[in-house]
Amino acid sequence: MSAPILTLDDVSKRFVKPLDAASKFANWMGAGYTEQVVHAVDGVDLSVREGEVVGLVGESGCGKSTLGRVVAGIHRPSAGRVSWRGQFTDAMDAQQRRAATLAIQMIFQDPMSSLNPRLRVTDIVGEAPVVHGLVGKAQQDAYVVEMLERVGLDPSYRRRYPHQFSGGQRARIGIARALAVRPQFLVCDESVAALDVSIQAQVLNLFMKLRDELNLTYLFISHDLSVVRHLSDRVVIMYLGRVVESAPAAELFKGPQHPYAQALLANVPSIAARKKRFAPLKGEIPSPLHPPPGCHFHPRCPHAGPRCRVERPVLKEIGSGHVAACHLHDGGVGSLAA
């Protein structure tokens, strides 16, 4: 198999809220306030091969969007390293970093908030290619026409503003803007979540078409397992900032091995299960301000044992390309069959 084009090595991202003046004064009086630290991403290892579609799944607040922004270079990791085509991004010179930034583009969840309302579509799509020297100013209009046609939009609309389009059309504008700088890797953050089901299908088909035509690689972030199953070659499941399971899509949906993945897939709607009773996970997701020790999932896990409360499980291979981070797979707290 080919070498990964993108690799995350023990990547973490923390957001720190410093003390304000009042808290500092209170500490001077002995209050004992400390900085608040949100552990959004916690020690993630991930690799993506060229042409692959990796679906990133998890509950809201699990850190998947933050991880996508780290991949896209919007956030710098607090710890760990990101490598692009075998070279660490923090060791790149300015020219190499610029090339990597253009090669990895992000498509955001809400196209209306990510599109400048004061710019016309011709500038939203065509400005970056001109600035980065991909096309000349004289060729900008023709280039915008080409990009809009590629994503299925009428080029005659290019003089309009974002508020003059529907949600599905704005989603296509966001895709055209990302494609305009000729990327190799797209991070799609809930890119179809806000769309009607019929429009979702059209946009998903567009993603698959673009993958074949442009040899694109995707990190597709979603909470919709049916979408991920339809689109992805491999699925990665996150919980509270950590990867708990990763496997080829068909294998994961056939037999998930982590208790959290099992709970997620057990509650996927199906027309085959006529009398299926849904059993949502008990308890709330712990706060990323104070994540639990050991396995983050142990407060909600029906199989949790004493070891789970103190020792973090590592990703262990349990099949070809299938890894899971659970003590159940090394004999620590029994077996899944139990």
Side-chain angles (χ1 to χ4, degrees), residues 202-222:
Q202 295 175 19
V203 176
L204 289 174
N205 289 335
L206 174 62
F207 278 128
M208 298 175 73
K209 176 185 174 184
L210 293 173
R211 174 197 183 185
D212 295 334
E213 291 179 350
L214 304 176
N215 191 31
L216 293 173
T217 304
Y218 292 126
L219 178 63
F220 197 87
I221 301 168
S222 179

PDB file of all heavy atoms in Angstrom, residues 202-222:
ATOM      1  N   GLN A 202     -27.500  15.054  -3.471  1.00  0.00           N
ATOM      2  CA  GLN A 202     -26.859  15.689  -4.619  1.00  0.00           C
ATOM      3  C   GLN A 202     -25.427  16.118  -4.287  1.00  0.00           C
ATOM      4  O   GLN A 202     -24.507  15.917  -5.087  1.00  0.00           O
ATOM      5  CB  GLN A 202     -27.678  16.903  -5.060  1.00  0.00           C
ATOM      6  CG  GLN A 202     -29.055  16.562  -5.592  1.00  0.00           C
ATOM      7  CD  GLN A 202     -29.868  17.818  -5.897  1.00  0.00           C
ATOM      8  OE1 GLN A 202     -29.319  18.905  -6.041  1.00  0.00           O
ATOM      9  NE2 GLN A 202     -31.177  17.666  -5.999  1.00  0.00           N
ATOM     10  N   VAL A 203     -25.243  16.706  -3.105  1.00  0.00           N
ATOM     11  CA  VAL A 203     -23.912  17.184  -2.724  1.00  0.00           C
ATOM     12  C   VAL A 203     -22.968  16.007  -2.468  1.00  0.00           C
ATOM     13  O   VAL A 203     -21.791  16.050  -2.840  1.00  0.00           O
ATOM     14  CB  VAL A 203     -24.003  18.115  -1.495  1.00  0.00           C
ATOM     15  CG1 VAL A 203     -22.609  18.532  -1.023  1.00  0.00           C
ATOM     16  CG2 VAL A 203     -24.831  19.354  -1.827  1.00  0.00           C
ATOM     17  N   LEU A 204     -23.468  14.946  -1.860  1.00  0.00           N
ATOM     18  CA  LEU A 204     -22.639  13.756  -1.635  1.00  0.00           C
ATOM     19  C   LEU A 204     -22.202  13.146  -2.967  1.00  0.00           C
ATOM     20  O   LEU A 204     -21.043  12.737  -3.121  1.00  0.00           O
ATOM     21  CB  LEU A 204     -23.399  12.727  -0.806  1.00  0.00           C
ATOM     22  CG  LEU A 204     -23.624  13.077   0.671  1.00  0.00           C
ATOM     23  CD1 LEU A 204     -24.511  12.037   1.333  1.00  0.00           C
ATOM     24  CD2 LEU A 204     -22.299  13.187   1.414  1.00  0.00           C
ATOM     25  N   ASN A 205     -23.115  13.079  -3.908  1.00  0.00           N
ATOM     26  CA  ASN A 205     -22.754  12.574  -5.240  1.00  0.00           C
ATOM     27  C   ASN A 205     -21.714  13.479  -5.903  1.00  0.00           C
ATOM     28  O   ASN A 205     -20.827  13.001  -6.628  1.00  0.00           O
ATOM     29  CB  ASN A 205     -23.999  12.453  -6.110  1.00  0.00           C
ATOM     30  CG  ASN A 205     -24.905  11.320  -5.677  1.00  0.00           C
ATOM     31  OD1 ASN A 205     -24.451  10.355  -5.067  1.00  0.00           O
ATOM     32  ND2 ASN A 205     -26.186  11.432  -5.984  1.00  0.00           N
ATOM     33  N   LEU A 206     -21.821  14.776  -5.653  1.00  0.00           N
ATOM     34  CA  LEU A 206     -20.828  15.710  -6.185  1.00  0.00           C
ATOM     35  C   LEU A 206     -19.456  15.431  -5.585  1.00  0.00           C
ATOM     36  O   LEU A 206     -18.447  15.419  -6.298  1.00  0.00           O
ATOM     37  CB  LEU A 206     -21.258  17.146  -5.895  1.00  0.00           C
ATOM     38  CG  LEU A 206     -20.252  18.245  -6.267  1.00  0.00           C
ATOM     39  CD1 LEU A 206     -19.978  18.247  -7.767  1.00  0.00           C
ATOM     40  CD2 LEU A 206     -20.776  19.612  -5.799  1.00  0.00           C
ATOM     41  N   PHE A 207     -19.407  15.192  -4.274  1.00  0.00           N
ATOM     42  CA  PHE A 207     -18.134  14.871  -3.630  1.00  0.00           C
ATOM     43  C   PHE A 207     -17.501  13.627  -4.258  1.00  0.00           C
ATOM     44  O   PHE A 207     -16.286  13.587  -4.509  1.00  0.00           O
ATOM     45  CB  PHE A 207     -18.330  14.646  -2.122  1.00  0.00           C
ATOM     46  CG  PHE A 207     -18.375  15.908  -1.310  1.00  0.00           C
ATOM     47  CD1 PHE A 207     -19.422  16.142  -0.436  1.00  0.00           C
ATOM     48  CD2 PHE A 207     -17.369  16.853  -1.401  1.00  0.00           C
ATOM     49  CE1 PHE A 207     -19.476  17.299   0.324  1.00  0.00           C
ATOM     50  CE2 PHE A 207     -17.406  18.011  -0.645  1.00  0.00           C
ATOM     51  CZ  PHE A 207     -18.464  18.236   0.218  1.00  0.00           C
ATOM     52  N   MET A 208     -18.299  12.598  -4.496  1.00  0.00           N
ATOM     53  CA  MET A 208     -17.780  11.361  -5.067  1.00  0.00           C
ATOM     54  C   MET A 208     -17.307  11.578  -6.507  1.00  0.00           C
ATOM     55  O   MET A 208     -16.282  11.028  -6.926  1.00  0.00           O
ATOM     56  CB  MET A 208     -18.856  10.282  -5.002  1.00  0.00           C
ATOM     57  CG  MET A 208     -19.272   9.934  -3.581  1.00  0.00           C
ATOM     58  SD  MET A 208     -20.647   8.761  -3.462  1.00  0.00           S
ATOM     59  CE  MET A 208     -19.840   7.257  -3.950  1.00  0.00           C
ATOM     60  N   LYS A 209     -18.048  12.408  -7.251  1.00  0.00           N
ATOM     61  CA  LYS A 209     -17.646  12.715  -8.618  1.00  0.00           C
ATOM     62  C   LYS A 209     -16.324  13.478  -8.636  1.00  0.00           C
ATOM     63  O   LYS A 209     -15.423  13.168  -9.438  1.00  0.00           O
ATOM     64  CB  LYS A 209     -18.752  13.535  -9.290  1.00  0.00           C
ATOM     65  CG  LYS A 209     -18.415  14.018 -10.695  1.00  0.00           C
ATOM     66  CD  LYS A 209     -19.520  14.921 -11.234  1.00  0.00           C
ATOM     67  CE  LYS A 209     -19.122  15.512 -12.575  1.00  0.00           C
ATOM     68  NZ  LYS A 209     -20.138  16.481 -13.071  1.00  0.00           N
ATOM     69  N   LEU A 210     -16.188  14.461  -7.755  1.00  0.00           N
ATOM     70  CA  LEU A 210     -14.952  15.247  -7.697  1.00  0.00           C
ATOM     71  C   LEU A 210     -13.764  14.389  -7.272  1.00  0.00           C
ATOM     72  O   LEU A 210     -12.637  14.585  -7.740  1.00  0.00           O
ATOM     73  CB  LEU A 210     -15.129  16.418  -6.725  1.00  0.00           C
ATOM     74  CG  LEU A 210     -16.119  17.501  -7.152  1.00  0.00           C
ATOM     75  CD1 LEU A 210     -16.326  18.497  -6.020  1.00  0.00           C
ATOM     76  CD2 LEU A 210     -15.633  18.206  -8.409  1.00  0.00           C
ATOM     77  N   ARG A 211     -14.022  13.433  -6.406  1.00  0.00           N
ATOM     78  CA  ARG A 211     -12.939  12.531  -5.981  1.00  0.00           C
ATOM     79  C   ARG A 211     -12.377  11.771  -7.178  1.00  0.00           C
ATOM     80  O   ARG A 211     -11.156  11.653  -7.329  1.00  0.00           O
ATOM     81  CB  ARG A 211     -13.472  11.553  -4.937  1.00  0.00           C
ATOM     82  CG  ARG A 211     -12.471  10.479  -4.519  1.00  0.00           C
ATOM     83  CD  ARG A 211     -13.176   9.340  -3.819  1.00  0.00           C
ATOM     84  NE  ARG A 211     -12.233   8.325  -3.355  1.00  0.00           N
ATOM     85  CZ  ARG A 211     -12.611   7.188  -2.796  1.00  0.00           C
ATOM     86  NH1 ARG A 211     -13.882   6.914  -2.624  1.00  0.00           N
ATOM     87  NH2 ARG A 211     -11.708   6.311  -2.403  1.00  0.00           N
ATOM     88  N   ASP A 212     -13.255  11.282  -8.029  1.00  0.00           N
ATOM     89  CA  ASP A 212     -12.808  10.523  -9.196  1.00  0.00           C
ATOM     90  C   ASP A 212     -12.137  11.418 -10.233  1.00  0.00           C
ATOM     91  O   ASP A 212     -11.133  11.035 -10.840  1.00  0.00           O
ATOM     92  CB  ASP A 212     -14.001   9.790  -9.826  1.00  0.00           C
ATOM     93  CG  ASP A 212     -14.588   8.735  -8.905  1.00  0.00           C
ATOM     94  OD1 ASP A 212     -13.847   8.230  -8.049  1.00  0.00           O
ATOM     95  OD2 ASP A 212     -15.783   8.413  -9.045  1.00  0.00           O
ATOM     96  N   GLU A 213     -12.695  12.602 -10.443  1.00  0.00           N
ATOM     97  CA  GLU A 213     -12.167  13.481 -11.477  1.00  0.00           C
ATOM     98  C   GLU A 213     -10.842  14.125 -11.099  1.00  0.00           C
ATOM     99  O   GLU A 213      -9.951  14.296 -11.948  1.00  0.00           O
ATOM    100  CB  GLU A 213     -13.187  14.590 -11.778  1.00  0.00           C
ATOM    101  CG  GLU A 213     -14.450  14.104 -12.464  1.00  0.00           C
ATOM    102  CD  GLU A 213     -15.438  15.223 -12.716  1.00  0.00           C
ATOM    103  OE1 GLU A 213     -15.220  16.343 -12.195  1.00  0.00           O
ATOM    104  OE2 GLU A 213     -16.429  14.990 -13.436  1.00  0.00           O
ATOM    105  N   LEU A 214     -10.679  14.483  -9.807  1.00  0.00           N
ATOM    106  CA  LEU A 214      -9.518  15.262  -9.368  1.00  0.00           C
ATOM    107  C   LEU A 214      -8.576  14.485  -8.458  1.00  0.00           C
ATOM    108  O   LEU A 214      -7.596  15.052  -7.965  1.00  0.00           O
ATOM    109  CB  LEU A 214      -9.996  16.533  -8.651  1.00  0.00           C
ATOM    110  CG  LEU A 214     -10.938  17.438  -9.449  1.00  0.00           C
ATOM    111  CD1 LEU A 214     -11.418  18.600  -8.581  1.00  0.00           C
ATOM    112  CD2 LEU A 214     -10.258  17.951 -10.713  1.00  0.00           C
ATOM    113  N   ASN A 215      -8.866  13.199  -8.227  1.00  0.00           N
ATOM    114  CA  ASN A 215      -8.058  12.364  -7.337  1.00  0.00           C
ATOM    115  C   ASN A 215      -7.904  13.013  -5.962  1.00  0.00           C
ATOM    116  O   ASN A 215      -6.810  13.132  -5.409  1.00  0.00           O
ATOM    117  CB  ASN A 215      -6.671  12.098  -7.943  1.00  0.00           C
ATOM    118  CG  ASN A 215      -5.911  11.020  -7.190  1.00  0.00           C
ATOM    119  OD1 ASN A 215      -6.517  10.101  -6.630  1.00  0.00           O
ATOM    120  ND2 ASN A 215      -4.599  11.128  -7.148  1.00  0.00           N
ATOM    121  N   LEU A 216      -9.029  13.441  -5.394  1.00  0.00           N
ATOM    122  CA  LEU A 216      -9.017  14.109  -4.103  1.00  0.00           C
ATOM    123  C   LEU A 216      -9.010  13.098  -2.961  1.00  0.00           C
ATOM    124  O   LEU A 216      -9.489  11.967  -3.098  1.00  0.00           O
ATOM    125  CB  LEU A 216     -10.239  15.018  -3.971  1.00  0.00           C
ATOM    126  CG  LEU A 216     -10.287  16.234  -4.891  1.00  0.00           C
ATOM    127  CD1 LEU A 216     -11.648  16.923  -4.762  1.00  0.00           C
ATOM    128  CD2 LEU A 216      -9.165  17.210  -4.572  1.00  0.00           C
ATOM    129  N   THR A 217      -8.486  13.539  -1.833  1.00  0.00           N
ATOM    130  CA  THR A 217      -8.519  12.778  -0.589  1.00  0.00           C
ATOM    131  C   THR A 217      -9.390  13.554   0.393  1.00  0.00           C
ATOM    132  O   THR A 217      -9.298  14.786   0.465  1.00  0.00           O
ATOM    133  CB  THR A 217      -7.106  12.612  -0.018  1.00  0.00           C
ATOM    134  OG1 THR A 217      -6.274  11.993  -1.006  1.00  0.00           O
ATOM    135  CG2 THR A 217      -7.118  11.752   1.235  1.00  0.00           C
ATOM    136  N   TYR A 218     -10.243  12.849   1.142  1.00  0.00           N
ATOM    137  CA  TYR A 218     -11.178  13.519   2.039  1.00  0.00           C
ATOM    138  C   TYR A 218     -10.995  13.063   3.489  1.00  0.00           C
ATOM    139  O   TYR A 218     -10.798  11.875   3.760  1.00  0.00           O
ATOM    140  CB  TYR A 218     -12.630  13.200   1.671  1.00  0.00           C
ATOM    141  CG  TYR A 218     -13.120  13.775   0.364  1.00  0.00           C
ATOM    142  CD1 TYR A 218     -13.692  12.938  -0.598  1.00  0.00           C
ATOM    143  CD2 TYR A 218     -13.057  15.129   0.096  1.00  0.00           C
ATOM    144  CE1 TYR A 218     -14.173  13.456  -1.794  1.00  0.00           C
ATOM    145  CE2 TYR A 218     -13.528  15.653  -1.095  1.00  0.00           C
ATOM    146  CZ  TYR A 218     -14.084  14.806  -2.037  1.00  0.00           C
ATOM    147  OH  TYR A 218     -14.555  15.319  -3.230  1.00  0.00           O
ATOM    148  N   LEU A 219     -11.107  14.028   4.404  1.00  0.00           N
ATOM    149  CA  LEU A 219     -11.421  13.739   5.799  1.00  0.00           C
ATOM    150  C   LEU A 219     -12.836  14.262   5.993  1.00  0.00           C
ATOM    151  O   LEU A 219     -13.062  15.479   6.027  1.00  0.00           O
ATOM    152  CB  LEU A 219     -10.444  14.428   6.752  1.00  0.00           C
ATOM    153  CG  LEU A 219     -10.732  14.212   8.249  1.00  0.00           C
ATOM    154  CD1 LEU A 219     -10.605  12.736   8.621  1.00  0.00           C
ATOM    155  CD2 LEU A 219      -9.808  15.067   9.120  1.00  0.00           C
ATOM    156  N   PHE A 220     -13.806  13.351   6.067  1.00  0.00           N
ATOM    157  CA  PHE A 220     -15.214  13.725   6.067  1.00  0.00           C
ATOM    158  C   PHE A 220     -15.763  13.615   7.482  1.00  0.00           C
ATOM    159  O   PHE A 220     -15.935  12.520   8.015  1.00  0.00           O
ATOM    160  CB  PHE A 220     -16.002  12.818   5.111  1.00  0.00           C
ATOM    161  CG  PHE A 220     -17.340  13.357   4.742  1.00  0.00           C
ATOM    162  CD1 PHE A 220     -17.480  14.227   3.664  1.00  0.00           C
ATOM    163  CD2 PHE A 220     -18.465  13.016   5.472  1.00  0.00           C
ATOM    164  CE1 PHE A 220     -18.722  14.739   3.320  1.00  0.00           C
ATOM    165  CE2 PHE A 220     -19.705  13.513   5.145  1.00  0.00           C
ATOM    166  CZ  PHE A 220     -19.836  14.379   4.061  1.00  0.00           C
ATOM    167  N   ILE A 221     -16.004  14.772   8.101  1.00  0.00           N
ATOM    168  CA  ILE A 221     -16.456  14.838   9.485  1.00  0.00           C
ATOM    169  C   ILE A 221     -17.975  14.880   9.511  1.00  0.00           C
ATOM    170  O   ILE A 221     -18.593  15.720   8.848  1.00  0.00           O
ATOM    171  CB  ILE A 221     -15.881  16.091  10.181  1.00  0.00           C
ATOM    172  CG1 ILE A 221     -14.351  16.054  10.149  1.00  0.00           C
ATOM    173  CG2 ILE A 221     -16.386  16.206  11.608  1.00  0.00           C
ATOM    174  CD1 ILE A 221     -13.693  17.360  10.549  1.00  0.00           C
ATOM    175  N   SER A 222     -18.591  13.988  10.273  1.00  0.00           N
ATOM    176  CA  SER A 222     -20.051  13.937  10.313  1.00  0.00           C
ATOM    177  C   SER A 222     -20.523  13.208  11.558  1.00  0.00           C
ATOM    178  O   SER A 222     -19.794  12.396  12.136  1.00  0.00           O
ATOM    179  CB  SER A 222     -20.590  13.231   9.059  1.00  0.00           C
ATOM    180  OG  SER A 222     -21.999  13.158   9.082  1.00  0.00           O
TER     181      SER A 222
END
